[in-house]
Amino acid sequence: MTEFLRSTTLRWALGIALWSVLLALTMFAFIYWQTAAYLREELAETLQLEVRAVAADPASAALRVDTWTAMDLHANHYGGLFGPDGARRAGNLDAIPDQLARDGDADRVSAVVQVAGRRLGDEIWAAALPLPDGSTVVIAHDSDEIDRVRGTTLRALGLGLVPTLALSGLGGLLLARRGRRRLAATEAALAEVMRGDLRRRLPVGTRGDEFDRLAANVNRMLDEIEHLMGEVRSVGDAVAHDLRTPLTRLRARLERSRTQARTVAEFHETIDQGLAWIDQTLAMVTAVLRIGAMEEGRRTAFAPVDLGELAAAAVDLFEPSAEEKGVRLTLAVADGLPTIRGDRDLCFEALSNLLDNALKFTPQGGAVSVRLTHLGGAVSLAVEDTGPGLPATERDKIFQRFYRSEVARQTQGNGLGLSLVAAIAKLHAASVSVHPAATGGCRFDLMFPAAAAT
């Protein structure tokens, strides 16, 4: 019971009920205000016309007053003709009501009237005008009709509030229970997720309302969390696997040298080989940390970068390696190429990784080309080679950490170079993709948004 009293269901029901009561009160108040105002205006107009008619014919004023009071069978009409001294000459009013202005306008006042031979105090609406001889004529009507309208309205309000409150409360409970059922299903799904079942998703209806949109957004978040958790598991497995090899080699080499080495030179050789394996391990760990830092967007000190100049520097750097391997390395830069905003060192590292990757898999006598073009609001950086290419099934996987294609398994590396390229592209709001080249190799495309003109 305590849980129900604290529940959203009860609060919604009470809120809807109170809102319905407020609407009912507002509606009845408006009806009463309009009806009472209409009746007051009608009564005031009638009294004003009648008192002016009496004042227009002073000779028959007494007769008109008596006629006005006698024509009413329910004793609702009052009137009086009073001399200059205030004495009554005709009608059923004892005296001119206090505070009644003699300007012909109708006002609500208190007066003493004669009804069936009795003097009674009553609230009346009255209008008064002076006559030329100093007399005063008063025409009045009681306020019972307006009071009856008020009483009827209040009675209807009282009788209507109870069913209104009951029905609105019942409707609020039904609506709240319906929403509660959807929340219960959501809570059950979230409980499964919290217990570790990241494959569970929230139920999404077909109406497309706020609950459905919220559930869809949470499901997309769970998809991303499941994807990231999968990446964490795969990265952990890959790091453990790739660290195991150099560490196992290092341990075996040190153990062998301890028992077999006889000279200082042999110990130096062992130490040099061990340092090389340690450097390989540290380079892999550093690359993983750099990728994580860039994926979190930690490095954002951007400045204008000329990709044409950057590409020329990268090609000059890799030209000796290409000549040594017998690969032709070319660069083509379109005229009027705009700058981009980014980190020059990271962009240079991304291009260097692509060039190193292309030269690694391009056979002797092949070619690697770098092309820069301006496409709409973006700058395209393409690196194309004449290597063996990639199967279509592996093109979406090569940017994952530690992934190595079948072609790359016989070459040195740890599968982090293209992951680093993808992280740098994401940091620069750029896109990276791989496509088959016309020559049979691969073409890597980096699309950077052009810097806004200043």
Side-chain angles (χ1 to χ4, degrees):
M1 184 65 181
T2 303
E3 182 179 355
F4 175 74
L5 293 176
R6 297 172 56 187
S7 66
T8 303
T9 302
L10 180 61
R11 289 198 297 270
W12 281 16
L14 291 177
I16 293 174
L18 292 176
W19 180 251
S20 300
V21 169
L22 180 61
L23 289 178
L25 288 172
T26 304
M27 180 184 66
F28 277 105
F30 178 78
I31 292 175
Y32 169 72
W33 173 57
Q34 290 293 317
T35 304
Y38 173 77
L39 292 175
R40 284 195 298 269
E41 291 174 0
E42 287 291 315
L43 180 58
E45 185 177 0
T46 300
L47 294 176
Q48 290 167 3
L49 291 175
E50 185 65 26
V51 77
R52 289 189 178 96
V54 174
D57 187 9
S60 58
L63 178 61
R64 294 290 296 268
V65 168
D66 289 337
T67 302
W68 167 258
T69 56
M71 64 182 295
D72 177 31
L73 300 179
H74 302 286
N76 292 328
H77 290 191
Y78 305 114
L81 178 62
F82 302 92
D85 57 354
R88 185 181 65 181
R89 296 178 179 177
N92 54 5
L93 287 177
D94 275 6
I96 301 175
D98 296 337
Q99 300 179 350
L100 178 62
R102 303 178 186 184
D103 56 1
D105 291 335
D107 294 307
R108 181 164 180 160
V109 294
S110 298
V112 178
V113 298
Q114 287 187 356
V115 178
R118 294 180 302 170
R119 300 174 69 252
L120 301 174
D122 198 2
E123 292 286 328
I124 63 173
W125 283 84
L129 278 175
L131 299 180
D133 61 356
S135 302
T136 301
V137 61
V138 179
I139 300 297
H141 194 288
D142 68 10
S143 60
D144 291 349
E145 188 172 354
I146 298 176
D147 294 340
R148 280 195 297 271
V149 170
R150 180 177 60 184
T152 302
T153 303
L154 293 176
R155 186 166 53 255
L157 176 61
L159 294 175
L161 277 181
V162 175
T164 299
L165 185 61
L167 292 176
S168 59
L170 178 61
L173 284 175
L174 293 177
L175 292 175
R177 284 175 63 85
R178 183 177 180 182
R180 180 60 187 168
R181 284 197 298 269
R182 298 188 67 179
L183 289 177
T186 301
E187 289 175 350
L190 288 176
E192 294 292 329
V193 173
M194 288 187 290
R195 282 194 288 266
D197 185 6
L198 295 179
R199 295 170 299 176
R200 185 66 185 271
R201 296 296 179 266
L202 306 187
V204 180
T206 58
R207 290 183 293 271
D209 57 12
E210 293 83 356
F211 284 105
D212 292 336
R213 291 196 296 272
L214 177 61
N217 289 333
V218 173
N219 286 341
R220 284 194 291 271
M221 180 184 68
L222 292 175
D223 291 339
E224 184 66 18
I225 292 175
E226 184 180 13
H227 172 70
L228 293 176
M229 291 298 294
E231 283 194 348
V232 169
R233 285 192 294 267
S234 63
V235 168
D237 294 342
V239 168
H241 180 271
D242 282 20
L243 286 178
R244 181 179 179 181
T245 300
L247 292 177
T248 301
R249 290 176 181 174
L250 178 60
R251 186 184 188 285
R253 186 64 181 268
L254 292 175
E255 185 177 358
R256 187 168 58 250
S257 298
R258 185 184 65 177
T259 59
Q260 297 179 3
R262 295 292 182 267
T263 65
V264 174
E266 290 178 349
F267 276 110
H268 284 175
E269 182 183 357
T270 300
I271 292 173
D272 291 341
Q273 185 63 56
L275 290 174
W277 287 331
I278 291 174
D279 289 341
Q280 177 185 351
T281 302
L282 290 175
M284 180 182 62
V285 173
T286 301
V288 172
L289 293 176
R290 281 170 56 78
I291 291 172
M294 283 184 287
E295 286 182 344
E296 292 179 8
R298 298 179 192 168
R299 190 165 181 174
T300 56
F302 287 171
V305 177
D306 185 349
L307 286 181
E309 179 272 331
L310 182 143
V315 169
D316 287 342
L317 177 65
F318 281 89
E319 185 67 36
S321 299
E323 291 180 356
E324 182 180 351
K325 192 174 181 180
V327 175
R328 183 167 55 93
L329 181 59
T330 60
L331 171 65
V333 180
D335 295 333
L337 194 71
T339 62
I340 68 166
R341 288 195 61 81
D343 187 306
R344 187 186 186 283
D345 294 338
L346 292 181
C347 292
F348 187 85
E349 185 174 356
L351 179 55
S352 298
N353 276 315
L354 292 178
L355 284 174
D356 181 67
N357 191 72
L359 291 173
K360 185 186 299 184
F361 297 106
T362 301
Q364 186 176 5
V368 174
S369 63
V370 180
R371 291 196 304 273
L372 284 164
T373 55
H374 185 202
L375 300 176
V379 177
S380 172
L381 170 61
V383 178
E384 186 173 330
D385 62 60
T386 58
L390 276 172
T393 55
E394 295 188 349
R395 290 173 193 157
D396 294 333
K397 302 177 182 178
I398 59 174
F399 296 105
Q400 299 175 7
R401 301 180 198 180
F402 298 103
Y403 182 81
R404 305 194 72 193
S405 65
E406 293 296 331
V407 177
R409 293 189 185 279
Q410 305 304 320
T411 62
Q412 185 178 1
N414 50 31
L416 290 173
L418 292 178
S419 299
L420 193 59
V421 173
I424 294 172
K426 181 179 179 181
L427 183 64
H428 288 76
S431 63
V432 59
S433 58
V434 59
H435 309 278
T439 56
C442 292
R443 187 184 79 250
F444 287 86
D445 290 319
L446 272 169
M447 298 289 291
F448 290 92
T454 57

